[in-house]
Amino acid sequence: MSRSLLCALMALALLAGCSKPKPPDKDRPPEPQATQLRDAMQAPLEQARQAQDEARKAAEEQRAAIDAATDASSN
């Protein structure tokens, strides 16, 4: 009898320890948790965009230089 009473009290104590989670504050939005992962993924993409812009500018400058050299030699 004492074992079943002890088990019942233990079960009751364990159940009493569980409580409903508190809702988040409505005044303060939750902290973003994926910022480090997002930043780690966006950094190489941003570097690739910058490299693409630099390559595009270099190609435009090269075309302008070729056009200028062609115009100068044809005159």
Side-chain angles (χ1 to χ4, degrees), residues 24-60:
D25 292 335
K26 292 181 181 178
D27 296 335
R28 197 173 107 215
E31 297 282 330
Q33 297 178 2
T35 54
Q36 290 177 342
L37 177 61
R38 183 193 64 224
D39 292 344
M41 291 173 63
Q42 290 296 326
L45 294 174
E46 186 61 33
Q47 287 177 340
R49 285 186 195 106
Q50 289 175 354
Q52 186 177 21
D53 289 342
E54 290 174 8
R56 187 176 296 125
K57 287 177 186 177
E60 288 172 4

Side-chain angles (χ1 to χ4, degrees), residues 9-20:
L9 288 176
M10 290 291 286
L12 184 61
L14 289 173
L15 289 175
C18 298
S19 64
K20 191 173 182 180

